[in-house]
Amino acid sequence: MDTNQIIQKIQVSGIRRFDEAITGIADIIKLTVGEPDLPTPEHVKKAGIQAIRDNWTHYSPLMGFGELQTAASQYFHQKYGLTYAPGEVIATVGATEAVATSLLTLLNPGDGVLLPTPAYTSYQPLVELAHANLIPIDTTNEGYKLTPAALQRVIAEHANDHLKVLILNYPTNPTGVTYTQAELTALLTVIKQANLYVISDEIYSELTYEQPHTAFATLYPEKTITINGLSKSHAMTGWRLGFIMAPQALINEMKKTHQYLVTSTSSITQAAGIEALTHGLDDGQKMRAVYQARRDYLVKRLSEIGLNYVYPTGAFYIFVQVPNDFNGTSWQFATRLAQEARVAVIPGSSFGAAGEGWFRISYAASQDALRDSMNRLATWRAQTAKL
Ligand SMILES: Cc1ncc(COP(=O)(O)O)c(C=O)c1O
């Protein structure tokens, strides 16, 4: 084939591939995709329906309706103290497009991009599409958090590799860890020394269980690109609404990438977004309470079953260790678990080499599904004492 060689090498994400592979198994409980099971709040749905009735069904300005930019600017100020002007906000097609637009705008061929791993699956392919180089930083031995010492070490090792961007994602997919303000401030010293841009993907910012969320741009406004959106906080994954927020000069460049990729996100979605951001400030908190109860339940059950896990303080994922007595890869383990226990989880290797030996459970699933899956897992584990 003479199609693009980078695309030829890229695969559909391990999350989707595994999910598709096990989908035909009868009566399987899926704890795979990071898809809230809760509905979009009623008032937000109504705003979307009304938008269609009112013929809000044409192009919007490229960066989104001014009303949406203003609503986003105010919402993120109220929530996290961010001080972006409305003109420094681009409404994107989910956080996914925000990641793509940010990377494609910032990177030149050969630039180095640092990424703490295991990590969400969409960063690496986009870095490659930009002809840049991804430099993973394995955080396994440091509680799955990037430390200043590890960052410093990798920066020194790659002194000649045009290091330009550090991608942060917290609360973190797939491990559910998050950072305290003090931890972020300690990282900032190293980041500033190396003069890095930070792309901070904070799509799970409303889902922190032990501490308030600190937005990275409150510490490093001059070189942070903030990514957020309504997919997780307002259970709006299918609407496709995200945001890029950054200093004006960067936004002016990003606007061009955004235009030629997508023109704008859906006008109907934007109307729903205005409602969510202006009258739905507490929507995310109600959902957080539900997820937190589920997290507490899962942690208890997994401990009883005798599995090791990373204690999650955010998002709706829990990262669990493949039992030591299983001889095989995380993909093989997850496949057996799906076939024999009829519980579907995501193999850790989907999140990079650093995820091997682990698997991810998404607890954005109903309480019944969580209970039944843990019962199945417990029975299966007891039966297969030596795997
Ligand atoms: C860390 C992270 N960033 C971005 C996204 C994509 O979000 P969206 O659905 O808004 O495109 C996800 C979705 O799972 C995610 O986990």
Side-chain angles (χ1 to χ4, degrees):
M1 262 201 303
D2 60 355
T3 52
N4 180 282
Q5 288 167 3
I6 299 172
I7 296 285
Q8 282 184 27
K9 283 193 206 124
I10 292 172
Q11 290 193 323
V12 170
S13 82
I15 301 178
R16 293 288 181 169
R17 271 186 296 131
F18 189 81
D19 189 64
E20 284 161 17
I22 51 84
T23 244
I25 299 175
D27 185 34
I28 193 153
I29 303 175
K30 281 197 188 183
L31 308 178
T32 48
V33 182
E35 165 74 274
D37 63 308
L38 306 170
T40 302
E42 208 53 43
H43 67 110
V44 178
K45 288 198 271 190
K46 276 193 191 139
I49 293 165
Q50 195 56 43
I52 297 176
R53 294 219 167 93
D54 293 347
N55 295 315
W56 265 51
T57 49
H58 300 99
Y59 289 130
S60 75
L62 296 178
M63 305 209 323
F65 290 111
E67 209 179 331
L68 179 66
Q69 291 177 295
T70 302
S73 159
Q74 288 172 354
Y75 175 90
F76 290 108
H77 177 65
Q78 260 177 283
K79 285 277 172 192
Y80 313 118
L82 289 165
T83 53
Y84 293 108
E88 294 175 317
V89 179
I90 303 180
T92 57
V93 183
T96 305
E97 191 243 315
V99 171
T101 293
S102 305
L103 288 170
L104 295 176
T105 306
L106 279 179
L107 295 175
N108 280 308
D111 281 343
V113 178
L114 299 165
L115 177 68
T117 59
Y120 175 59
T121 47
S122 85
Y123 308 124
Q124 172 147 13
L126 286 160
V127 169
E128 288 170 5
L129 272 176
H131 299 266
N133 299 315
L134 189 96
I135 299 157
I137 310 176
D138 187 340
T139 59
T140 312
N141 295 327
E142 273 129 351
Y144 290 100
K145 289 196 203 184
L146 180 64
T147 61
L151 181 59
Q152 186 99 60
R153 180 174 38 79
V154 176
I155 288 173
E157 283 166 9
H158 291 272
N160 298 321
D161 289 338
H162 298 278
L163 296 184
K164 189 181 222 175
V165 176
L166 167 68
I167 300 176
L168 289 178
N169 162 229
Y170 63 93
T172 306
N173 177 6
T175 56
V177 299
T178 195
Y179 293 78
T180 62
Q181 180 158 0
E183 287 167 338
L184 295 170
T185 307
L187 282 173
L188 182 62
T189 312
V190 183
I191 291 166
K192 275 191 170 165
Q193 274 163 7
N195 198 23
L196 295 171
Y197 286 101
V198 172
I199 295 180
S200 193
D201 180 347
E202 302 177 21
I203 188 76
Y204 297 102
S205 56
E206 276 297 271
L207 301 177
T208 57
Y209 305 122
E210 321 287 329
Q211 67 202 34
H213 176 78
T214 301
F216 203 75
T218 58
L219 310 175
Y220 190 40
E222 61 276 25
K223 290 197 85 171
T224 299
I225 293 96
T226 301
I227 292 176
N228 213 316
L230 300 185
S231 296
K232 317 288 174 171
S233 61
H234 289 73
M236 288 179 73
T237 45
W239 295 80
R240 314 307 300 131
L241 184 55
F243 299 103
I244 301 174
M245 293 171 279
Q248 195 67 57
L250 281 174
I251 287 289
N252 294 346
E253 292 304 294
M254 306 246 186
K255 178 180 178 181
K256 294 182 273 179
T257 314
H258 168 74
Q259 162 166 26
Y260 293 116
L261 283 176
V262 300
T263 304
S264 64
T265 192
S266 143
S267 301
I268 300 152
T269 290
Q270 291 187 50
I274 293 166
E275 172 65 24
L277 293 167
T278 49
H279 297 117
L281 261 82
D282 293 338
D283 291 347
Q285 281 160 40
K286 287 180 212 143
M287 296 191 199
R288 173 171 58 200
V290 174
Y291 292 130
Q292 185 163 356
R294 293 176 184 173
R295 178 208 57 174
D296 293 345
Y297 174 76
L298 271 193
V299 160
K300 184 168 156 288
R301 293 295 309 267
L302 289 168
S303 298
E304 286 164 6
I305 297 168
L307 293 173
N308 290 333
Y309 53 82
V310 184
Y311 185 77
T313 53
F316 40 51
Y317 306 111
I318 182 160
F319 212 48
V320 186
Q321 193 166 22
V322 172
N324 285 333
D325 48 19
F326 180 76
N327 203 359
T329 63
S330 57
W331 194 283
Q332 289 164 334
F333 177 82
T335 304
R336 269 194 73 177
L337 193 65
Q339 288 168 343
E340 297 172 17
R342 287 169 295 121
V343 175
V345 298
I346 297 293
S349 57
S350 306
F351 307 101
E356 187 50 88
W358 293 72
F359 60 92
R360 187 193 79 176
I361 293 177
S362 164
Y363 53 89
S366 73
Q367 185 61 36
D368 286 354
L370 293 179
R371 188 198 53 230
D372 293 350
S373 63
M374 287 302 114
N375 288 346
R376 289 180 186 187
L377 182 58
T379 310
W380 182 74
R381 183 76 185 122
Q383 283 166 355
T384 51
K386 181 103 184 111
L387 286 163

